[in-house]
Structures are given as structure tokens and as C-alpha cells.
Amino acid sequence: MKPLRILLADDSKAVGNLIAEQLRSNGHQVDWVQNGEAAIAAFQENPPELVLMDIEMPGIGGLEAIRRIRRIPSPVRVPIIIITAHTDEENLLSSFMAGADDFLAKPIQPLLLDVRIQAMTRIVSTQRSNAAMVDSVVDGVIRIDRVGRITAFNKAAEGIFGYAAGEVLDQNVKMLMPSPYREEHDNYIGNYVATGQRKVIGSRREVLGQRKNGQTFPMSLSVSEVEAPDEHFFVGIVRDLSVENELRSRLRESRNFLAEIIENIPAATYVKNREGEYLLVNRQHEVVTGLARDKVLGRTDAEIFPPEAAVAYRQVDLDVMTRNRTIEAEE
């Protein structure tokens, strides 16, 4: 398995050296600090993949350091193993309530340390795979908690909104919305949590988003609610519709322009699909055939003309498709 980036916090030089040396010999990268304040600062500056935290240290102790680390926004839960000489129920319970995930009893036994690290490596490996999968999605993926704070923001979302993940984590998701939606969003979440009445959740709709530079843009948004055993959150899937809508607009303009040209051609002119259904006819076609457009559009020659004429017209269509050229016929 890939080596881990490990933050080690222990004020004992003897214990710290022992653990750091063993971890490094197994290929792991170790950042060793000797108090709680330094551990918090190191976690904020360069979040590790695993924390080994001594409980008894000068200044901010290990438990308070864990509590503060757990309040630091992070797209994944970083496993924390406490190092302690006190393995009674009360101390272990306090450690887990603070946010620890496992413990190592002093004096540290190299085999047990290696076993614990291997177990946590599997957890981290799963998180890496999940994060890589989410980051590979072409749509923006945004996870928020039940009060609207952003807890995950994938690479596509960074590209869509112009923010780095670190700039939005733990911020209210309404920062990604223009007015008046920004001002209304907190009330919507509050009403949903209180009543369960859905407006956006479970459906896909087109809404306006706002980039970091203040530019607004159309986006497709679908929101799902996730109830995990230990947390409850929402996942939004975002797709920037700016280019798509622009292309649709240009296509409509092209179609309208083409329809206008066809309408003004002095000869009877029509457009059919490969099944022979009329998609468009001009006014001269109405004059020549004596048939109103609503009697022609969506129908085939067999539904409009006598059998002999219908067969002839269909053969003309097949000749056009086969030879890939236009045939002019005199009425």
C-alpha cells in the first residue's frame, strides 16, 4: 500500500524518536511536533492522512488538540490514534468522545504500532479511492451538512465556480448563489429540516450559480439527501450550462434562419426525416399541393397522397438519400 503522511505529536523525545524512526523505516512521511498547539498548526498547514497524538503534553493537551483538529474543515475524516499510558475506561471514553479513532498503550510495542498503522492504511486507501472517484466525475460534486456548510468540493466544482476547495470548505453553500437565492437559502434548509417539505431535493432543475469573480451562469442542479449511520448530509450535482445553452441558442437561430430561407423559396420545398415524415414545408408547397401544413407535418406520403403517387414520392426520397444529392421535380 502507498505510504502515509503522518502527523506525530509527542513531547517525549525518546518515544517520539522511536515511533518516528519505525514509521520512516516503513516508508511513511512523518511530521513530528511536541505539543498540542504545534499539532493543530501542522494539521491546518498541511493536513496529514493519519494523526498519532500523545494525550499528556504541555500547553494544550492531546484531547483538546483532537477536539480542535476535528473542527478544522476537511473533505475526509483523518484517523487519529491516541498514545496513552492510561487505558482505563474513563480515559479511553474521553478520548473517543473527543474524536479519536483508536489507541496505543505505552510503552509502545513496535508490532502493535505496525498493526495499527496497517489497519489505518486500509481506511486511508479507501478514502483515497473514493476521493479520486469523486474528483474524476465531470460534473461538480458538492456535499453540505444539515445547516448548509460545504464539507466536500470536487475538482469539477473548483473549475465551475473558480474557488479552490480550501476556500469554500466549512462556508455556507449560499456563497455560490446570486441574490435573491442567497438570502433565501437558509430559510429553505430550515423549513426542510423542520417540515420535510421538498422543493429541490430529489429533482433536477436549472438554476443560477455565481462564480468567485461574481459572474452568474445557468447550471443544472440535482440534490440528494444521504442518511449515513453517523451523519446526515446533502449532495449536490452541478453542471455548467453556459456553453450548452449558448449552443442551443445558436442552433435555434440557425434553424430559424434556415426555415426563413425555405419559406421564401419560390418552388415547393419540404424537409423530411429518414422515415419519410414531413418536418417542414414552405408556403409554395401548400399552393402546389393544395394541402395545409397541419395536414402534412408529421405524416408520410402514404398518409397524404394516393398510393401510386405516394410510392413515386417515396422513391424520390430514397434516391436522394442513396445519391446524397438534391432532385428537382416539376409539378
Side-chain angles (χ1 to χ4, degrees), residues 37-295:
E37 291 91 337
I40 296 167
F43 191 99
Q44 288 178 314
E45 182 177 349
N46 184 25
E49 294 171 303
L50 173 66
V51 175
L52 295 174
M53 180 76 70
D54 187 13
I55 293 300
E56 297 181 357
M57 292 184 292
I60 294 177
L63 291 185
E64 181 59 24
I66 292 173
R67 293 189 189 98
R68 296 192 187 186
I69 284 174
R70 286 300 182 213
R71 290 197 290 267
I72 297 173
S74 175
V76 296
R77 180 182 175 89
V78 177
I80 299 177
I81 301 176
I82 59 170
I83 303 170
T84 180
H86 305 289
T87 57
D88 56 281
E89 291 184 0
E90 182 177 351
N91 278 290
L92 290 180
L93 179 60
S94 297
S95 300
F96 283 91
M97 291 297 292
D101 299 294
D102 205 344
F103 74 95
L104 278 168
K106 291 182 178 181
I108 301 299
Q109 299 182 37
L111 177 59
L112 286 181
L113 173 61
D114 188 54
V115 168
R116 292 290 200 280
I117 297 299
Q118 288 295 325
M120 291 302 164
T121 300
R122 295 189 185 100
I123 296 174
V124 174
S125 177
T126 299
Q127 291 186 341
R128 283 172 174 164
S129 297
N130 292 340
M133 179 178 64
V134 172
D135 272 340
S136 69
V137 175
V138 296
D139 291 334
V141 179
I142 305 170
R143 187 181 69 198
I144 66 171
D145 62 20
R146 286 176 64 82
V147 295
R149 291 176 301 198
I150 299 171
T151 56
F153 201 72
N154 76 340
K155 293 292 185 184
E158 290 182 324
I160 290 172
F161 290 97
Y163 289 100
E167 296 179 279
V168 301
L169 290 179
D170 209 38
Q171 302 298 313
N172 194 302
V173 71
K174 65 185 180 183
M175 69 185 292
L176 306 177
M177 308 171 188
S179 295
Y181 312 105
R182 176 179 300 180
E183 290 75 19
E184 297 171 352
H185 187 261
D186 287 344
N187 288 335
Y188 168 70
I189 288 186
N191 290 335
Y192 173 72
V193 171
T195 67
Q197 184 178 0
R198 298 184 174 192
K199 290 185 178 179
V200 177
I201 295 171
S203 64
R204 179 178 289 274
R205 62 196 302 183
E206 184 172 331
V207 298
L208 284 179
Q210 181 168 300
R211 307 189 206 277
K212 182 179 180 179
N213 63 8
Q215 178 189 29
T216 60
F217 65 99
M219 67 183 193
S220 170
L221 171 66
S222 61
V223 180
S224 302
E225 186 176 13
V226 180
E227 293 190 42
D230 57 349
E231 60 179 332
H232 189 172
F233 57 91
F234 304 99
V235 176
I237 307 297
V238 174
R239 177 174 298 173
D240 187 345
L241 298 179
S242 302
V243 174
E244 185 176 332
N245 284 1
E246 175 65 21
L247 290 176
R248 285 178 178 174
S249 177
R250 292 183 181 181
L251 180 59
R252 283 194 298 269
E253 291 175 359
S254 297
R255 285 176 174 172
N256 292 338
F257 181 65
L258 176 61
E260 185 176 352
I261 292 175
I262 292 175
E263 181 68 12
N264 290 286
I265 293 176
T269 306
Y270 60 84
V271 176
K272 294 180 181 178
N273 60 23
R274 297 187 69 86
E275 287 70 41
E277 297 171 333
Y278 285 87
L279 303 179
L280 185 150
V281 296
N282 69 350
R283 65 168 65 96
Q284 189 62 26
H285 188 277
E286 291 183 296
V287 172
V288 171
T289 63
L291 297 172
R293 297 183 204 213
D294 60 356
K295 302 296 184 182

